[in-house]
Amino acid sequence: MTRKLRAAVLGATGTVGQRFIQLLEDHPWFELGAIAASGRSVGKPYHRACSWKVPEPQPEYVRDQVLSPCRPGLEADFVFSGLPSSIAGEVECDFARAGYPVVSNSGYHRMEEDVPLLVPEINSDHLDLISLQQERTRSSGFIVTNPNCTTIALVLALAPLHRAFGLERVSVVTMQALSGAGYPGVAGLDVADNVLPYIEGEEEKVETEPLKILGNYKDGKVERAEFAISAQCHRVSVQDGHLEAVSVSVRLLPSLDELVETLASFRSLPQELDLPSAPRRPVVCLEEPDRPQPRLDRNLEKGMATVVGRIRPCPVLDYKFDLLGHNTIRGAAGAAILNAELLRARGMLKGKE
Amino acid sequence: MTRKLRAAVLGATGTVGQRFIQLLEDHPWFELGAIAASGRSVGKPYHRACSWKVPEPQPEYVRDQVLSPCRPGLEADFVFSGLPSSIAGEVECDFARAGYPVVSNSGYHRMEEDVPLLVPEINSDHLDLISLQQERTRSSGFIVTNPNCTTIALVLALAPLHRAFGLERVSVVTMQALSGAGYPGVAGLDVADNVLPYIEGEEEKVETEPLKILGNYKDGKVERAEFAISAQCHRVSVQDGHLEAVSVSVRLLPSLDELVETLASFRSLPQELDLPSAPRRPVVCLEEPDRPQPRLDRNLEKGMATVVGRIRPCPVLDYKFDLLGHNTIRGAAGAAILNAELLRARGMLKGKE
Amino acid sequence: MTRKLRAAVLGATGTVGQRFIQLLEDHPWFELGAIAASGRSVGKPYHRACSWKVPEPQPEYVRDQVLSPCRPGLEADFVFSGLPSSIAGEVECDFARAGYPVVSNSGYHRMEEDVPLLVPEINSDHLDLISLQQERTRSSGFIVTNPNCTTIALVLALAPLHRAFGLERVSVVTMQALSGAGYPGVAGLDVADNVLPYIEGEEEKVETEPLKILGNYKDGKVERAEFAISAQCHRVSVQDGHLEAVSVSVRLLPSLDELVETLASFRSLPQELDLPSAPRRPVVCLEEPDRPQPRLDRNLEKGMATVVGRIRPCPVLDYKFDLLGHNTIRGAAGAAILNAELLRARGMLKGKE
Amino acid sequence: MTRKLRAAVLGATGTVGQRFIQLLEDHPWFELGAIAASGRSVGKPYHRACSWKVPEPQPEYVRDQVLSPCRPGLEADFVFSGLPSSIAGEVECDFARAGYPVVSNSGYHRMEEDVPLLVPEINSDHLDLISLQQERTRSSGFIVTNPNCTTIALVLALAPLHRAFGLERVSVVTMQALSGAGYPGVAGLDVADNVLPYIEGEEEKVETEPLKILGNYKDGKVERAEFAISAQCHRVSVQDGHLEAVSVSVRLLPSLDELVETLASFRSLPQELDLPSAPRRPVVCLEEPDRPQPRLDRNLEKGMATVVGRIRPCPVLDYKFDLLGHNTIRGAAGAAILNAELLRARGMLKGKE
């Protein structure tokens, strides 16, 4: 690599935007170009416009950087988008049409036919959609997305099982962290001494996104995987880390040991390419009977892995287990950064002259 | 009713014992006779031996009452047991052999063949086991138990579904309150900003007790109900109220409206007899999309009902929903008190001369 | 008493308004007349307009009652105001000018010269301000206020000390509950695993309101009490109940026993008049070394008392202790209801023809 | 420096011991020699004996290291003690008598006349006590202690104020984290939705230790500083980070700017010597009105600084502010490690042959 690529961050003052900025500090391949936010913040230095909520300290270099509007023309080789879905639809298209690669964490474009819903460990072949997308939009720019924070933790564990044994049914009950709702997000009154049994729009995402991610790319299309998913989503008083109680049935029934080994030994392209943000182990399996726990395990593999524990037979489906993912790292900004790293490794991100 | 029956409370200083004492204040049929606890506390006035943790104030009448040892000879017409399982086995047998009816919340005797695991709304016919038990032990005393706190909230909702549609499979993921673990129970360090994915021995209880409760009494035996249950139990930072995400499949598939109506209209013997602690509605159905919530709904029907919400089709089984039960009221002391009320109504509890 | 007076509740859908409605259920002197709220809610039935957050169930009688606008013309003998300060200023004046007695929990008019800042145990003589107020506004209506939630818990303990020993300096550090900030109030992300060392505007209120409450009424004016108060206010992850660490110095130094006795034996006008909402003991003193605690003690005396504990000498001032008050009962709606009860007992609230 | 010194950790499985092990990973001057614990754990590999509770992952190198008993004879150049006070008294003396330098976090020996209660930024001259201690015990070994976790966060801010303006009175109200109580420590039931107004023995430590730390060493004795301290200690549901609301009066009254500048510019010996664990800024001053907050600020300067905010005049004393310290880093293991670094820099820790 010669010089670092400059990344602009859209939605830089939000909770996902803050994670982008924190994770890009000292990144070996990327450096922060422009930062952009909505109208109120434009023209302000970052530390005045942003109420920093990430538990790691704010990088000093961004403190006095001035916020731009979310419009093409930013000094950047490509764009990370941490925009809310309600805004992302149009803005991300504007950037793609203006020639920027857009690496988005937003939900808006995820399920569109020619937009990759990319998890580098799982479906790097879906990147072939990009050329179709570029044809349609007649632009050198494009949009690549990563999944919802709950989906990605789940699908990292489902992928090796699906490839090895063929998933038939997946039931998942989630206990999701506060940071997943953005800021201010959930009211303190609603979560102290409480659990909320409902997160708007979340179950739909978890029940559909994995089928696209695990689908086969063929003749310019992604054929959805065919198995049933049921999601029941809850919000708990935890800062970071989505815990998910999962049960699965499969076509080819493995032994318990085979199942564990299949999860624990899972390695894929990002590990082979040694991408800077790739976890050494995409799925970490813990043996202790009371793990994974959000507080203790969310930072394993720097928050880029799915941590699995309590794997055991299920009297209703075949096997059940708990899994945990760091929802603002692998579940958001970290996922997008890993996507960008794969794009760069594939020659699909380049420095502008 | 002529005079109130005197109830002794075994394990009176523990968290379940405290609830017995709080709920027996001003009870129309029962009054507190003796209070008993383990060795260290014997001979002390209650307020010195007990670290009161129930959010309702301690009744004044018990403040200076002196604790007795947990041995027969107590001034009482019958006994409530809030003892831990490790002690309950022997002590409860001693009381039963000495002629006391023992109404126990403890887990020790629940699954024994001739001990009713009683839920008055569901299996009052199981009380016929008592005469067999009395024959075996050659005593006028006996033991009646109520289910585990997680089981009872679940089984109150399962019972009307099983009777109407025939359960085939039940999958339940729980988010359980701190008070379910007794005191000191779970360490603050373990639950603040965290969820624990493991509660020792809990899943086994939830996967077996409902099959006895919903079993048919025939020829002196309870034939276990035959359907599959899978439980995944978690501890969350909530004071009171177990939340459970449930999914079920049934033999006869009802419409969503039929299912809701079956739950909401469920009434049974305790309601017909108008027992003092019986909830008007054993199952309360809420329509709001974000309910039930532990903090807001655990005290509906004075904590004696199961509160159900988010009833909807399940892509993996047939229907799914969330339910909530107050684990120290209907899940423990309140369940035992309702059991005693049924026993009294049936003439199986009498004042001693 | 002949018939119940009809009270309208302004701001009925807010957290304070919800408490008014919950506390007025079965009130012996008052009944709910109209309920009023801001524009969006007008015309809707209560249960649709209101997101109920009080842990006690919503009274059924209010469920389908329709919300009116906050304008004079409501069917009511007097008005309770749970409006936010930003709106209360004008709206409460409108009602007072239209002839309604306004019993307000809002902060807007508290420090005005001819508006009583009333605590019935402390300064019932300040009610003489009302006739001056009525002269000024040339109306039979008037406004009476209660203090800020943090102030009232504090001043109930300060009052007997000030009368007996003469306060010189008061230092208070608060740990305040979430419900004090209304809804949605404080973000869950901000209070989980955290404490906030700042509550906007709060310290100013706590440092000034007690001086008016404890001031002497003389010649149509309240002369402010003269002692120094320092407040440092914090928000903690507690649902209800403000805990305050207090230290005081006094002119006449009592013994520790005298101080405790002075607090514990404090009784005043509401107790003499046996007002329905009056706590038997306005100040409850606990002896246990680890009390008061919000969860265990906030409901003592039905949430209408200040609970004091850990009274001991202070190496810097004279004595120090912790105190606790239920911020939405005695700290808000309950305080206003007790004020209304005193007004009725004094003949200052009457049924309209 | 030639080779790393080997440190043994006593009490290695406790919460303080865990922090020692985590902080010693990759330490430039020290490496882990032996690990020792109480009887039950002796002979077991670390990962089996220890329930790891530190949010950072357990270093892999310690996983299979076997625990020794807490008796002299350990392979180590010196000893870190994370023992509880009840055991530390005797065991630490044994090690000192056997010739080991003992760098202790335990409370047992802190207030002894010839034992330094060391804060390298404040009282490095107290190290002269060591030769007196060695004379008394006729050993080359010795004991050096660091303060209680609440004391050290406080005294780092008091020291520059005392030197510059002369403290007269200090009032402090604390809101302390769960990890300060060890494991299991405080029950979850006691802190969820609650604050505890009492921590056994804590206030005494906070009211006395600063007077020794800020005392003058003269003629072989530490003369206690002479000012009054009052402490009121509370436990809140926070994992790490003690928050303290402080008010002070001084002999020479500075302007607010002078006070802030005195705190913010404080540098001392560890900064001059550039000790590996020394914070660049021992006192960090934040300007935002709502800081410091435990979750956001406890990790500033890697948890080795006191973070101060909300500095403003106090109506009762002279100035007031909030401060925050990481109780298991600078408040425990990190403090002891910094003490050891100063000892090494001073030539008082040497490698054994």
Side-chain angles (χ1 to χ4, degrees):
Chain A
M1 302 268 165
T2 46
R3 73 161 176 83
K4 291 188 181 182
L5 295 182
R6 285 161 310 158
V9 173
L10 308 183
T13 58
T15 48
V16 175
Q18 292 179 24
R19 268 287 176 206
F20 273 119
I21 285 167
Q22 184 253 323
L23 291 172
L24 287 173
E25 188 179 16
D26 303 322
H27 192 282
W29 294 1
F30 306 138
E31 65 186 11
L32 195 62
I35 52 177
S38 63
R40 279 167 313 152
S41 301
V42 172
K44 292 186 188 162
Y46 189 69
H47 79 280
R48 289 216 182 279
C50 167
S51 180
W52 187 259
K53 299 293 171 187
V54 172
E56 287 79 23
Q58 186 182 106
E60 290 193 12
Y61 73 90
V62 80
R63 188 181 150 81
D64 294 313
Q65 195 166 342
V66 174
L67 285 151
S68 302
C70 290
R71 277 197 305 268
L74 300 177
E75 287 246 345
D77 299 311
F78 70 105
V79 162
F80 284 120
S81 168
L83 293 171
S85 259
S86 54
I87 300 173
E90 205 164 332
V91 172
E92 292 179 6
C93 285
D94 289 348
F95 276 92
R97 261 187 248 112
Y100 292 85
V102 176
V103 184
S104 171
N105 177 62
S106 160
Y108 192 88
H109 297 289
R110 278 182 200 146
M111 300 304 286
E112 288 173 13
E113 287 301 321
D114 60 7
V115 173
L117 182 50
L118 181 66
V119 181
E121 281 89 347
I122 302 177
N123 62 359
S124 58
D125 56 327
H126 292 198
L127 286 177
D128 288 354
L129 290 172
I130 288 176
S131 57
L132 303 176
Q133 196 191 135
Q134 288 171 320
E135 275 175 43
R136 174 175 56 84
T137 60
R138 297 179 190 181
S139 163
S140 62
F142 58 86
I143 297 172
V144 166
T145 63
N146 57 263
N148 166 278
C149 49
T150 308
T151 299
I152 195 163
L154 176 63
V155 82
L156 273 174
L158 294 185
L161 301 181
H162 191 50
R163 297 286 143 87
F165 315 115
L167 290 170
E168 285 191 320
R169 285 176 298 178
V170 175
S171 181
V172 56
V173 175
T174 72
M175 290 147 276
Q176 300 184 215
L178 297 168
S179 57
Y183 185 81
V186 185
L189 266 180
D190 281 335
V191 290
D193 191 22
N194 209 12
V195 174
L196 297 175
Y198 179 64
I199 300 174
E200 197 183 343
E202 190 78 358
E203 296 176 353
E204 292 76 359
K205 292 175 193 166
V206 180
E207 293 181 354
T208 55
E209 291 180 7
L211 303 177
K212 177 171 177 184
I213 297 164
L214 292 169
N216 288 318
Y217 179 79
K218 207 173 140 184
D219 302 333
K221 288 190 87 168
V222 173
E223 291 177 349
R224 303 291 153 96
E226 290 190 348
F227 57 89
I229 308 178
S230 167
Q232 296 175 271
C233 294
H234 302 76
R235 186 78 65 191
V236 293
S237 185
V238 165
Q239 285 283 348
D240 292 305
H242 289 355
L243 188 67
E244 311 183 18
V246 183
S247 185
V248 299
S249 67
V250 290
R251 293 205 179 81
L252 302 170
L253 191 66
S255 71
L256 180 58
D257 284 351
E258 282 174 303
L259 188 93
V260 173
E261 177 60 20
T262 300
L263 288 168
S265 66
F266 179 49
R267 300 290 182 278
S268 188
L269 187 62
Q271 287 74 39
E272 288 161 30
L273 297 176
D274 202 18
L275 299 179
S277 301
R280 280 176 311 148
R281 301 166 293 173
V283 179
V284 177
C285 290
L286 299 180
E287 289 174 21
E288 295 86 343
D290 61 349
R291 305 288 277 269
Q293 295 177 20
R295 191 177 80 86
L296 295 177
D297 299 315
R298 60 193 167 205
N299 290 321
L300 288 178
E301 298 286 338
K302 297 187 180 166
M304 290 296 289
T306 286
V307 186
V308 178
R310 301 210 68 215
I311 309 173
R312 58 207 193 283
C314 173
V316 164
L317 300 183
D318 292 329
Y319 285 100
K320 56 186 174 181
F321 49 85
D322 273 85
L323 67 81
L324 173 78
H326 194 302
N327 56 297
T328 68
I329 300 181
R330 187 62 197 248
I337 291 173
L338 186 64
N339 282 355
E341 291 169 2
L342 178 61
L343 289 168
R344 166 112 199 199
R346 284 285 166 92
M348 300 170 85
L349 282 191
K350 289 168 192 159
K352 292 186 179 173
E353 298 315 304
Chain B
M1 300 271 166
T2 48
R3 74 160 175 82
K4 291 189 181 182
L5 295 183
R6 287 162 307 159
V9 173
L10 308 183
T13 57
T15 48
V16 175
Q18 293 179 24
R19 266 290 175 203
F20 273 119
I21 285 167
Q22 184 253 324
L23 291 172
L24 287 172
E25 188 178 18
D26 304 321
H27 192 280
W29 294 2
F30 306 138
E31 65 186 10
L32 196 62
I35 52 176
S38 61
R40 281 167 312 150
S41 301
V42 171
K44 292 186 186 162
Y46 189 71
H47 80 279
R48 288 213 185 279
C50 167
S51 179
W52 187 259
K53 298 294 170 188
V54 172
E56 286 80 23
Q58 184 181 108
E60 291 194 11
Y61 73 90
V62 81
R63 187 180 150 81
D64 293 314
Q65 195 167 340
V66 174
L67 285 152
S68 301
C70 289
R71 279 197 303 268
L74 300 178
E75 287 247 346
D77 300 311
F78 70 105
V79 162
F80 283 120
S81 168
L83 294 172
S85 260
S86 54
I87 300 174
E90 207 164 331
V91 171
E92 293 180 6
C93 284
D94 289 348
F95 275 91
R97 263 187 245 111
Y100 291 85
V102 177
V103 185
S104 171
N105 177 62
S106 160
Y108 192 88
H109 297 289
R110 276 181 201 148
M111 299 305 288
E112 288 172 14
E113 287 300 322
D114 60 7
V115 173
L117 181 51
L118 181 65
V119 180
E121 281 89 345
I122 301 177
N123 61 0
S124 58
D125 56 327
H126 292 200
L127 285 177
D128 290 352
L129 290 173
I130 288 176
S131 57
L132 303 177
Q133 192 191 138
Q134 288 171 320
E135 275 176 44
R136 174 175 58 83
T137 60
R138 298 179 188 180
S139 162
S140 62
F142 59 84
I143 297 171
V144 165
T145 63
N146 58 264
N148 166 277
C149 50
T150 307
T151 299
I152 195 164
L154 175 65
V155 82
L156 273 173
L158 294 186
L161 300 182
H162 190 50
R163 296 287 141 87
F165 314 115
L167 290 170
E168 286 192 320
R169 286 176 296 179
V170 175
S171 179
V172 56
V173 175
T174 72
M175 290 147 275
Q176 300 184 215
L178 297 169
S179 58
Y183 185 82
V186 185
L189 266 181
D190 280 336
V191 291
D193 191 23
N194 208 12
V195 174
L196 297 175
Y198 179 64
I199 301 174
E200 197 183 343
E202 191 79 357
E203 296 176 353
E204 292 77 359
K205 293 175 192 166
V206 180
E207 294 182 354
T208 55
E209 291 180 9
L211 303 178
K212 177 171 178 183
I213 297 164
L214 292 169
N216 288 319
Y217 178 79
K218 206 174 143 185
D219 303 333
K221 288 191 86 166
V222 173
E223 291 177 346
R224 304 292 155 93
E226 291 189 346
F227 56 89
I229 307 177
S230 167
Q232 297 175 269
C233 293
H234 303 75
R235 186 78 66 190
V236 293
S237 187
V238 166
Q239 284 283 347
D240 292 305
H242 289 354
L243 187 67
E244 310 183 18
V246 183
S247 186
V248 300
S249 67
V250 291
R251 292 204 180 80
L252 302 170
L253 189 68
S255 72
L256 180 58
D257 284 350
E258 282 173 302
L259 187 95
V260 173
E261 177 60 20
T262 300
L263 288 169
S265 66
F266 179 48
R267 300 289 182 278
S268 187
L269 189 61
Q271 288 73 40
E272 289 162 29
L273 297 175
D274 203 17
L275 299 179
S277 302
R280 281 175 310 146
R281 300 165 294 172
V283 179
V284 177
C285 290
L286 300 180
E287 288 173 23
E288 293 86 345
D290 60 350
R291 304 289 276 268
Q293 294 177 21
R295 190 175 82 86
L296 294 177
D297 300 316
R298 60 193 169 204
N299 290 320
L300 288 178
E301 298 285 339
K302 296 185 181 168
M304 289 297 288
T306 287
V307 185
V308 178
R310 301 209 69 215
I311 310 174
R312 60 207 191 284
C314 174
V316 163
L317 300 182
D318 291 331
Y319 285 100
K320 56 185 175 180
F321 48 85
D322 272 86
L323 67 81
L324 174 79
H326 195 301
N327 56 298
T328 67
I329 300 180
R330 187 62 197 249
I337 291 173
L338 186 64
N339 282 356
E341 291 169 3
L342 179 61
L343 289 168
R344 166 113 201 199
R346 284 286 166 92
M348 300 171 83
L349 281 191
K350 288 169 192 157
K352 292 187 178 172
E353 298 315 304
Chain C
M1 300 270 165
T2 48
R3 73 160 175 85
K4 291 189 181 181
L5 295 182
R6 288 163 307 159
V9 173
L10 309 182
T13 57
T15 48
V16 175
Q18 293 179 22
R19 267 287 175 205
F20 273 119
I21 284 166
Q22 184 252 323
L23 292 172
L24 287 173
E25 188 177 18
D26 303 321
H27 192 282
W29 294 1
F30 307 136
E31 64 185 14
L32 195 62
I35 52 176
S38 62
R40 279 168 312 151
S41 301
V42 171
K44 293 186 186 162
Y46 189 69
H47 80 279
R48 288 214 184 279
C50 168
S51 179
W52 188 260
K53 298 293 170 187
V54 171
E56 287 79 23
Q58 186 181 108
E60 291 193 12
Y61 73 90
V62 79
R63 188 179 150 81
D64 293 314
Q65 196 167 340
V66 173
L67 285 153
S68 302
C70 290
R71 277 197 303 267
L74 301 177
E75 287 247 345
D77 299 311
F78 71 103
V79 162
F80 284 120
S81 167
L83 294 172
S85 260
S86 53
I87 299 173
E90 207 164 331
V91 172
E92 293 180 5
C93 284
D94 289 348
F95 276 91
R97 261 186 247 112
Y100 292 85
V102 177
V103 185
S104 171
N105 177 63
S106 161
Y108 192 88
H109 297 288
R110 278 181 199 147
M111 301 304 287
E112 287 173 14
E113 287 301 321
D114 59 8
V115 172
L117 182 51
L118 182 65
V119 181
E121 282 90 345
I122 301 176
N123 62 0
S124 59
D125 56 327
H126 291 199
L127 285 177
D128 289 353
L129 289 173
I130 288 175
S131 58
L132 303 176
Q133 194 190 138
Q134 288 170 320
E135 273 176 44
R136 174 173 58 84
T137 60
R138 296 180 189 180
S139 163
S140 62
F142 58 87
I143 297 171
V144 166
T145 63
N146 58 263
N148 166 277
C149 50
T150 308
T151 299
I152 196 164
L154 175 64
V155 82
L156 275 172
L158 294 185
L161 300 181
H162 190 50
R163 296 286 141 85
F165 314 116
L167 290 170
E168 286 191 320
R169 285 176 297 178
V170 175
S171 180
V172 57
V173 176
T174 71
M175 289 147 276
Q176 301 184 215
L178 297 168
S179 57
Y183 185 81
V186 185
L189 266 182
D190 281 335
V191 291
D193 191 22
N194 208 12
V195 174
L196 297 175
Y198 178 64
I199 301 173
E200 197 183 343
E202 190 80 357
E203 296 176 352
E204 293 76 359
K205 293 175 192 166
V206 180
E207 294 181 354
T208 55
E209 291 179 9
L211 303 178
K212 177 171 178 182
I213 297 164
L214 292 168
N216 289 319
Y217 179 78
K218 206 172 141 185
D219 302 333
K221 289 190 85 167
V222 173
E223 292 177 348
R224 304 291 154 94
E226 291 190 346
F227 57 89
I229 308 177
S230 168
Q232 297 175 269
C233 294
H234 303 74
R235 187 77 66 191
V236 292
S237 186
V238 166
Q239 284 283 346
D240 292 305
H242 288 355
L243 186 67
E244 311 183 17
V246 183
S247 185
V248 299
S249 67
V250 290
R251 292 205 179 79
L252 301 169
L253 191 67
S255 71
L256 180 58
D257 285 351
E258 283 174 303
L259 188 94
V260 173
E261 177 59 21
T262 301
L263 287 169
S265 65
F266 179 49
R267 300 290 181 279
S268 187
L269 188 61
Q271 288 73 39
E272 289 162 28
L273 297 175
D274 202 18
L275 299 179
S277 301
R280 281 175 311 146
R281 301 165 294 173
V283 180
V284 176
C285 290
L286 300 180
E287 288 173 22
E288 294 86 344
D290 61 349
R291 305 287 277 269
Q293 295 176 21
R295 190 176 80 87
L296 294 176
D297 299 316
R298 60 193 168 206
N299 289 321
L300 288 178
E301 299 284 337
K302 296 187 180 166
M304 289 297 288
T306 287
V307 185
V308 179
R310 301 209 68 215
I311 310 173
R312 59 206 192 284
C314 174
V316 163
L317 300 182
D318 291 331
Y319 285 101
K320 57 185 175 181
F321 49 84
D322 272 87
L323 67 81
L324 174 77
H326 194 302
N327 56 298
T328 68
I329 300 181
R330 188 61 198 249
I337 291 173
L338 186 64
N339 282 356
E341 291 169 3
L342 179 61
L343 288 168
R344 166 113 199 199
R346 283 287 167 89
M348 300 170 84
L349 282 190
K350 289 169 193 158
K352 292 188 177 170
E353 298 314 304
Chain D
M1 302 267 167
T2 47
R3 73 161 176 84
K4 290 189 182 183
L5 296 183
R6 287 162 308 158
V9 172
L10 308 182
T13 58
T15 48
V16 175
Q18 292 178 24
R19 268 287 177 206
F20 273 119
I21 285 166
Q22 184 253 323
L23 292 172
L24 287 173
E25 189 177 17
D26 303 321
H27 192 280
W29 294 1
F30 307 138
E31 64 185 11
L32 195 63
I35 53 176
S38 62
R40 279 168 312 151
S41 301
V42 171
K44 292 185 187 162
Y46 189 71
H47 80 279
R48 289 215 183 278
C50 167
S51 179
W52 187 259
K53 297 295 171 187
V54 171
E56 286 80 22
Q58 187 181 107
E60 292 193 12
Y61 73 91
V62 81
R63 189 181 150 82
D64 293 313
Q65 194 167 343
V66 174
L67 285 151
S68 303
C70 290
R71 277 197 305 268
L74 300 177
E75 287 245 347
D77 299 311
F78 70 104
V79 162
F80 283 121
S81 168
L83 294 171
S85 260
S86 53
I87 298 174
E90 206 164 332
V91 172
E92 293 179 5
C93 285
D94 289 348
F95 276 91
R97 260 188 248 111
Y100 292 85
V102 176
V103 184
S104 171
N105 178 62
S106 160
Y108 192 87
H109 297 288
R110 278 181 200 147
M111 300 304 287
E112 288 173 13
E113 287 300 321
D114 60 7
V115 173
L117 182 50
L118 180 66
V119 180
E121 281 90 346
I122 301 178
N123 63 359
S124 57
D125 56 327
H126 292 199
L127 286 177
D128 289 353
L129 290 172
I130 288 176
S131 56
L132 303 176
Q133 195 191 135
Q134 289 171 319
E135 275 176 43
R136 174 174 58 83
T137 59
R138 296 179 191 181
S139 162
S140 62
F142 58 87
I143 297 171
V144 165
T145 63
N146 58 263
N148 165 277
C149 51
T150 308
T151 299
I152 196 165
L154 176 63
V155 82
L156 274 174
L158 294 185
L161 300 181
H162 191 50
R163 296 288 142 87
F165 314 116
L167 290 170
E168 285 190 322
R169 286 176 296 178
V170 175
S171 180
V172 56
V173 175
T174 72
M175 289 147 277
Q176 300 183 217
L178 297 167
S179 57
Y183 185 82
V186 185
L189 267 180
D190 281 336
V191 292
D193 191 22
N194 208 13
V195 175
L196 297 175
Y198 179 63
I199 300 173
E200 197 183 344
E202 189 80 357
E203 296 176 352
E204 293 77 358
K205 291 175 193 167
V206 181
E207 293 181 354
T208 56
E209 291 179 8
L211 303 178
K212 176 171 177 183
I213 297 164
L214 292 168
N216 288 319
Y217 178 78
K218 206 174 141 184
D219 302 334
K221 290 189 84 166
V222 173
E223 292 177 347
R224 304 291 154 95
E226 291 189 346
F227 57 89
I229 308 177
S230 168
Q232 297 175 271
C233 294
H234 303 74
R235 185 79 65 192
V236 293
S237 186
V238 165
Q239 284 283 350
D240 292 304
H242 289 354
L243 188 67
E244 312 183 18
V246 183
S247 185
V248 299
S249 68
V250 290
R251 292 204 179 82
L252 301 170
L253 190 67
S255 71
L256 180 58
D257 285 350
E258 282 173 303
L259 188 94
V260 173
E261 177 59 20
T262 300
L263 287 168
S265 66
F266 179 49
R267 299 290 181 280
S268 187
L269 187 61
Q271 288 73 41
E272 288 161 29
L273 296 176
D274 202 17
L275 299 179
S277 301
R280 281 175 310 148
R281 300 165 294 172
V283 180
V284 176
C285 290
L286 299 180
E287 287 174 23
E288 294 87 342
D290 60 350
R291 305 288 278 270
Q293 295 177 21
R295 189 175 81 86
L296 295 177
D297 300 314
R298 60 193 169 204
N299 289 322
L300 288 178
E301 300 284 338
K302 297 187 180 166
M304 290 296 289
T306 287
V307 185
V308 179
R310 300 209 69 215
I311 309 173
R312 58 206 193 282
C314 173
V316 164
L317 300 183
D318 292 331
Y319 285 100
K320 58 185 174 181
F321 49 85
D322 274 86
L323 68 81
L324 173 78
H326 195 301
N327 55 298
T328 68
I329 300 181
R330 188 61 197 250
I337 291 173
L338 187 64
N339 282 356
E341 290 168 3
L342 178 61
L343 288 168
R344 165 114 201 198
R346 283 287 166 91
M348 300 171 84
L349 282 190
K350 288 168 193 158
K352 291 186 180 175
E353 298 314 305

